[in-house]
Amino acid sequence: MLRPHVPVNPLPTGIVTPPIQPTPTTAIEPTANHDRTPAPVAPARTTVQLTPGSAVALAAGGGAVVLVVGAVLVSMLLAVAITGVSVALIAVVLRLLVRDMQKGR
């Protein structure tokens, strides 16, 4: 195995720290299981069973989520479209005003 080498560092007081010597370890023998008790068994997973009522509720909930997300996305798209039309209309009006100012009216 790898053994790290710790250098000897003198302290400011002049006391020298000796290197650390690894202590030998003895191998530990595994003990036998004399009572022969079986290992604990993990409980089996239960599967979710859908009744017709819960399947209808799940489908209705999914449909409601789709409708809400769709409404939010459509409203955001509508807001962007209205903003674009407003900016274009303001640009046309400003262009006409600048053109009238240049003609000297």
Side-chain angles (χ1 to χ4, degrees):
M1 277 207 144
L2 299 174
R3 294 185 184 176
H5 175 70
V6 180
V8 178
N9 295 325
L11 296 176
T13 58
I15 301 172
V16 177
T17 306
I20 299 173
Q21 297 294 330
T23 57
T25 58
T26 59
I28 299 174
E29 299 273 337
T31 59
N33 189 2
H34 295 290
D35 57 353
R36 302 286 182 209
T37 57
V41 178
R45 286 189 175 183
T46 58
T47 58
V48 177
Q49 295 182 1
L50 292 176
T51 62
S54 62
V56 169
L58 185 63
V65 168
V66 168
L67 288 176
V68 168
V69 170
V72 168
L73 291 177
V74 167
S75 63
M76 289 173 61
L77 180 64
L78 186 61
V80 169
I82 290 173
T83 303
V85 169
S86 300
V87 169
L89 185 62
I90 289 171
V92 169
V93 170
L94 285 176
R95 183 177 169 196
L96 290 174
L97 287 174
V98 168
R99 187 177 290 170
D100 283 346
M101 288 176 60
Q102 287 178 350
K103 286 184 181 180
R105 291 186 182 179

